[in-house]
Amino acid sequence: YSFVYRGLHEALRMPVAIKMMKHDLATYSDFIKKFREEARTIAKFNHENIVHVYDIEERFKTLFIIMEHLEGMSLRTLLKRMLKLPPAQVVRYLLQICAGLQYAHAQNVVHQDIKPGNIFIMPDDKIKILDFGLASPFGMESNFTGTPFYMSPEQIDCLAVDARTDIFALGLTTYEMLAGQRPFENKDAMEVMELRLEQDIPDPAEIVPDLPAALRKFVMKACARDMRQRYQNIAEAIQELQPLAGDHLPASKLDSSTNRKMATMFLLYTDEHQPELNRMMEEFCKKVSKLGVSCRTANFK
């Protein structure tokens, strides 16, 4: 229900993102209320893993949210390019997402729409959580709120939501990062929501045979249909994930004093080559990461 523009903050003299409500929706009180609520919710936040809001403006008969301008790409865009990510990278992203969610939950706010499109990755691999437009207080009934492919059973049943709702969506997002596809990938939205109530998600280890057992456990527990069987809060999830960072990150990272070199390789290819190239690049990045070498990819038209 909005456009996002790049702008320049005159007072701060810095680039900003300007989220503007569409004019045709600005006449509807429900949309205006929701837009204001989103702005007020994140305007009070101050966390490195949540996008920062500078200001809220009402002009030209519509509303604007003035936000931090981010360079990089969404997790959704990265997954389209890479298909799936190595476990070390997934763990790094998860710990940052959890840190942001833990902060939001401490403010009594449930995001309600955690998904790859709302996770932003900056060039230094820092994560920012975006779009609190569907956020609600703990204990509020969901009113069928969320993105169908990432909704928890309680959201689909319009029950009260809490930290475990975001944990469920985070588990689904983790599944997608590791497997390169969503659970029940070939089903439409209505079928997925029905299956969400009737079946546990497929075991990701069936798609990723070499998946570390601890990451498999995290996904399955986070995505338990029964809220009582999930991690009860983000702190529990972090406690389970923290040891994995040491297990899967390169043993020796280059520090800033190391004399580093950079190599570039250009591949000229057609669309039919993309899936196999994604697989080969993933294998390559896995191998070089064990040496402590950073691997980055980028697409050029």
Side-chain angles (χ1 to χ4, degrees):
Y1 52 81
S2 62
F3 295 110
V4 180
Y5 297 98
R6 188 178 192 271
L8 181 69
H9 197 294
E10 290 185 344
L12 300 176
R13 302 304 299 170
M14 62 187 294
V16 292
I18 305 167
K19 187 172 184 176
M20 183 192 84
M21 174 179 277
K22 292 180 179 178
H23 279 290
D24 59 332
L25 297 177
T27 58
Y28 293 93
S29 58
D30 287 346
F31 280 102
I32 292 175
K33 180 182 177 183
K34 199 67 181 171
F35 205 78
R36 283 198 187 110
E37 284 175 355
E38 176 189 0
R40 289 169 182 160
T41 295
I42 55 176
K44 63 183 180 182
F45 286 176
N46 183 20
H47 192 275
E48 62 178 351
N49 297 122
I50 296 176
V51 65
H52 187 64
V53 166
Y54 299 123
D55 208 351
I56 308 164
E57 296 282 352
E58 295 193 32
R59 296 185 185 180
F60 315 113
K61 298 183 179 180
T62 191
L63 298 174
F64 299 85
I65 302 176
I66 316 302
M67 299 182 292
E68 172 184 16
H69 179 266
L70 304 176
E71 296 286 350
M73 69 179 77
S74 71
L75 178 57
R76 166 62 59 222
T77 300
L78 180 63
L79 288 174
K80 284 181 179 178
R81 294 181 180 182
M82 297 293 292
L83 194 60
K84 56 184 178 179
L85 307 178
Q89 194 171 353
V90 172
V91 171
R92 285 199 299 272
Y93 291 170
L94 279 176
L95 286 170
Q96 294 183 69
I97 299 168
C98 283
L101 286 177
Q102 187 174 38
Y103 178 89
H105 294 170
Q107 319 301 313
N108 197 42
V109 172
V110 185
H111 187 284
Q112 281 212 104
D113 200 22
I114 293 297
K115 59 183 180 182
N118 283 337
I119 305 300
F120 198 87
I121 305 164
M122 301 179 72
D124 60 356
D125 259 6
K126 178 177 279 189
I127 293 291
K128 295 277 189 176
I129 301 173
L130 310 178
D131 203 345
F132 280 75
L134 301 180
S136 70
F138 274 49
M140 180 172 284
E141 293 182 358
S142 78
N143 197 24
F144 205 67
T145 300
T147 301
F149 292 104
Y150 301 91
M151 285 170 68
S152 64
E154 60 269 21
Q155 287 172 294
I156 296 169
D157 274 340
C158 296
L159 302 175
V161 298
D162 59 27
R164 295 169 293 182
T165 303
D166 285 342
I167 288 170
F168 188 94
L170 182 59
L172 293 177
T173 299
T174 306
Y175 186 108
E176 192 169 351
M177 285 193 282
L178 294 166
Q181 64 183 57
R182 296 179 298 222
F184 312 122
E185 176 70 23
N186 298 318
K187 307 293 185 181
D188 65 31
M190 290 304 298
E191 285 182 284
V192 167
M193 287 189 288
E194 289 175 9
L195 289 168
R196 190 79 73 235
L197 299 175
E198 298 168 359
Q199 296 182 23
D200 293 326
I201 65 166
D203 189 335
E206 295 177 2
I207 301 173
V208 189
D210 57 347
L211 180 66
L215 268 179
R216 175 194 173 275
K217 177 187 175 185
F218 172 80
V219 172
M220 299 304 291
K221 184 169 182 177
C223 293
R225 281 183 292 160
D226 186 341
M227 296 175 75
R228 295 168 296 182
Q229 301 302 316
R230 292 178 214 159
Y231 298 102
Q232 297 301 290
N233 51 59
I234 288 291
E236 286 186 12
I238 292 174
Q239 187 175 5
E240 193 109 299
L241 289 168
Q242 197 72 60
L244 301 184
D247 289 344
H248 299 295
L249 287 177
S252 58
K253 295 185 70 176
L254 296 173
D255 61 41
S256 59
S257 64
T258 304
N259 183 20
R260 291 178 286 179
K261 296 182 179 180
M262 182 172 73
T264 305
M265 175 174 61
F266 294 95
L267 304 173
L268 303 179
Y269 59 94
T270 62
D271 288 342
E272 63 183 296
H273 298 132
Q274 185 79 58
E276 183 63 14
L277 280 176
N278 286 345
R279 186 193 65 77
M280 293 171 69
M281 289 302 297
E282 181 186 354
E283 288 294 320
F284 176 75
C285 287
K286 279 183 181 178
K287 290 179 179 179
V288 299
S289 69
K290 292 178 181 178
L291 302 175
V293 176
S294 296
C295 180
R296 297 289 184 271
T297 63
N299 285 352
F300 301 92
K301 292 185 179 179

